[in-house]
């Protein structure tokens, strides 16, 4: 009887752990083997089981059922659709609804007074007429900023405010939109807010997916409420380079260490993080998505999503050939 891909990966992790222990800690076979078994048991004890696929709602499942005549069904608007309206705003969500988009992705950050708001962050500079870190503003102070100040077609959106996450979720529930909540800071604070909102709005169990680049955030959310659907997000060199390709770190030691940490993080995504966090989704940078990649995640029971796909030819490739849902800034090419 052949072993499943999942079993092979987990057994490979155990063997690798034993090799590390026997090389770096103790060479005696029985002692190293015993330590390996104990540590593997600890990982198994602390892991969080994924939400059973049978409990995934029809709205979420529909994102992964492909219709050659209507690929809008497999499209997720990045930042709620930053090409059609100011990003991460209620106005953008309204445009997504108007265009018939079934799902959006939004970004969560926190104000100085612990209010969860929609903004990519960590600074307000990129989208508003203000300057500084989101965490240095109270919510009342943020409301004085214009979230459409940097939007290309800002004449159509003269005064737009930064909304709370709760207002966003209320709107998504009203219109039955699937919402990917991209969480960027403070695992404990994030888990507290998310779990509270899920309890207050039970429809989120059918419409909400919490995602993050940070495994600690996802683990904290799932520990607070194991019924929440989650997904880890990843791109190459995330610890070394910013999204625009420039150097992330100024200190020399960070420049030396970060590429090695990038390698370790990439390996851990494939090897163990999906198992520990119990994720249902993996949000992968489009540059790393291919047929073998998709088959790999399918074999683990994890669903692949590609981001951020704006080129028309790439959209066709992911949606028609690979049948992978895409996160995109809008319906048109940038």
């Amino acid at each position: 009887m052949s072993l499943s891909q999942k079993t092979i990966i987990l057994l490979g992790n155990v063997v690798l752990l034993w090799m590390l222990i026997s090389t770096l800690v103790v060479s005696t076979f029985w002692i190293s083997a015993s330590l390996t078994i104990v540590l593997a048991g600890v990982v198994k004890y602390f892991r969080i089981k994924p939400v059973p696929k049978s409990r995934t709602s029809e709205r979420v499942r529909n994102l992964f059922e492909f219709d050659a005549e209507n690929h809008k069904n497999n499209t997720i608007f990045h930042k709620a659709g930053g090409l059609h309206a100011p990003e991460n705003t209620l106005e953008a969500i309204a445009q997504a609804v108007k265009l018939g988009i079934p799902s959006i992705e939004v970004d969560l950050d926190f104000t100085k007074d612990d209010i969860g708001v929609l903004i990519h962050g960590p600074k307000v500079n990129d989208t508003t007429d203000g300057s500084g870190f989101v965490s240095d503003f109270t919510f009342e102070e943020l409301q004085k900023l214009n979230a459409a100040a940097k939007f290309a077609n800002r004449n159509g959106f003269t005064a737009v405010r930064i909304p709370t996450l709760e207002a966003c979720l209320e709107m998504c529930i009203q219109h039955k939109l699937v919402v990917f909540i991209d969480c960027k800071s403070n695992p404990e604070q994030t888990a507290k807010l998310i779990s509270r909102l899920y309890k207050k709005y039970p429809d989120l169990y059918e419409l909400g997916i919490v995602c993050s680049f940070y495994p600690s955030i996802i683990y904290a959310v799932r520990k607070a409420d194991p019924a929440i659907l989650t997904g880890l997000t990843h791109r190459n060199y995330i610890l070394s380079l910013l999204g625009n390709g420039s150097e992330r770190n100024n200190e020399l030691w960070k420049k030396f260490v970060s590429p090695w940490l990038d390698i370790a993080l990439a390996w851990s995504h494939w090897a163990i993080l999906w198992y520990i966090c119990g994720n249902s989704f993996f949000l992968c940078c489009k540059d790393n998505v291919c047929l073998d990649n998709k088959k790999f995640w399918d074999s683990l029971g994890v669903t692949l999503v590609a981001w951020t796909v704006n080129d028309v030819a790439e959209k066709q490739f992911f949606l028609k050939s690979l049948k992978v849902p895409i996160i995109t800034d809008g319906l048109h090419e940038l």
Side-chain angles (χ1 to χ4, degrees):
M1 182 172 137
S2 61
L3 297 176
S4 69
Q5 178 93 2
K6 183 185 296 186
T7 302
I8 291 171
I9 290 173
L10 294 176
L11 286 175
N13 287 332
V14 173
V15 172
L16 180 60
L17 180 61
W18 169 74
M19 292 173 63
L20 289 172
I21 291 174
S22 61
T23 302
L24 302 176
V25 182
V26 59
S27 59
T28 305
F29 175 79
W30 291 112
I31 297 178
S32 62
S34 299
L35 284 174
T36 301
I37 292 171
V38 170
L39 290 175
V42 169
V43 171
K44 183 174 177 61
Y45 177 79
F46 284 103
R47 74 167 294 226
I48 304 172
K49 292 183 179 180
V51 177
K53 287 191 177 293
S54 60
R55 285 168 53 190
T56 304
S57 70
E58 183 179 2
R59 297 292 294 185
V60 172
R61 291 198 305 271
N62 284 344
L63 280 176
F64 306 94
E65 294 179 1
F66 287 79
D67 179 358
E69 302 302 319
N70 185 13
H71 281 133
K72 279 186 181 181
N73 290 338
N74 319 112
T75 298
I76 304 155
F77 265 7
H78 186 225
K79 302 176 184 177
L83 186 62
H84 302 283
E87 65 181 56
N88 281 311
T89 63
L90 300 184
E91 287 78 1
I93 298 173
Q95 285 294 309
V97 172
K98 183 178 178 180
L99 293 168
I101 298 299
S103 178
I104 62 170
E105 179 264 0
V106 295
D107 299 287
L108 170 65
D109 209 335
F110 289 91
T111 63
K112 187 177 182 178
D113 48 349
D114 296 330
I115 304 297
V117 294
L118 295 197
I119 188 168
H120 190 269
K123 293 184 176 183
V124 301
N125 304 46
D126 290 342
T127 56
T128 77
D129 50 356
S131 178
F133 288 95
V134 177
S135 57
D136 289 335
F137 289 81
T138 65
F139 179 69
E140 183 179 355
E141 289 169 342
L142 277 186
Q143 294 306 287
K144 299 175 183 178
L145 305 181
N146 183 6
K150 306 292 176 63
F151 184 60
N153 187 28
R154 57 185 172 274
N155 291 334
F157 301 91
T158 52
V160 178
R161 302 305 167 203
I162 296 172
T164 63
L165 174 65
E166 184 166 1
C168 158
L169 296 180
E170 287 178 343
M171 195 168 181
C172 289
I173 291 170
Q174 178 187 351
H175 296 286
K176 301 296 182 184
L177 281 178
V178 175
V179 54
F180 288 76
I181 309 166
D182 187 7
C183 306
K184 300 181 179 300
S185 62
N186 198 316
E188 184 179 349
Q189 189 179 25
T190 299
K192 183 179 179 180
L193 173 63
I194 294 291
S195 58
R196 178 179 68 79
L197 291 175
Y198 268 72
K199 292 294 188 294
K200 184 175 181 179
Y201 304 99
D203 285 351
L204 289 175
Y205 288 103
E206 297 186 356
L207 297 173
I209 298 166
V210 178
C211 54
S212 180
F213 283 98
Y214 305 100
S216 57
I217 292 179
I218 295 301
Y219 189 83
V221 168
R222 297 224 62 231
K223 191 172 178 60
D225 190 341
I228 294 176
L229 288 170
T230 58
L232 274 168
T233 310
H234 184 64
R235 68 167 172 83
N236 288 341
Y237 314 116
I238 185 170
L239 302 177
S240 306
L241 304 175
L242 296 172
N244 60 10
S246 62
E247 183 70 45
R248 178 182 293 275
N249 306 299
N250 294 322
E251 299 91 337
L252 183 61
W253 72 270
K254 287 185 179 180
K255 290 183 180 182
F256 176 77
V257 171
S258 59
W260 296 100
L261 293 179
D262 273 322
I263 293 171
L265 179 60
W267 171 83
S268 62
H269 272 297
W270 292 69
I272 196 67
L273 287 176
W274 56 270
Y275 176 77
I276 294 174
C277 296
N279 291 311
S280 301
F281 303 91
F282 184 64
L283 283 65
C284 188
C285 175
K286 64 183 180 65
D287 298 334
N288 291 340
V289 177
C290 63
L291 183 59
D292 286 340
N293 194 330
K294 181 177 185 293
K295 288 180 178 179
F296 173 83
W297 289 107
D298 285 345
S299 72
L300 302 180
V302 177
T303 304
L304 188 65
V305 178
W307 62 271
T308 301
V309 186
N310 289 320
D311 180 80
V312 171
E314 288 184 335
K315 287 182 180 181
Q316 296 294 316
F317 172 69
F318 290 120
L319 293 171
K320 288 190 174 183
S321 299
L322 292 187
K323 297 190 182 306
V324 171
I326 60 168
I327 297 177
T328 179
D329 288 314
L331 292 180
H332 313 300
E333 183 176 7
L334 287 178

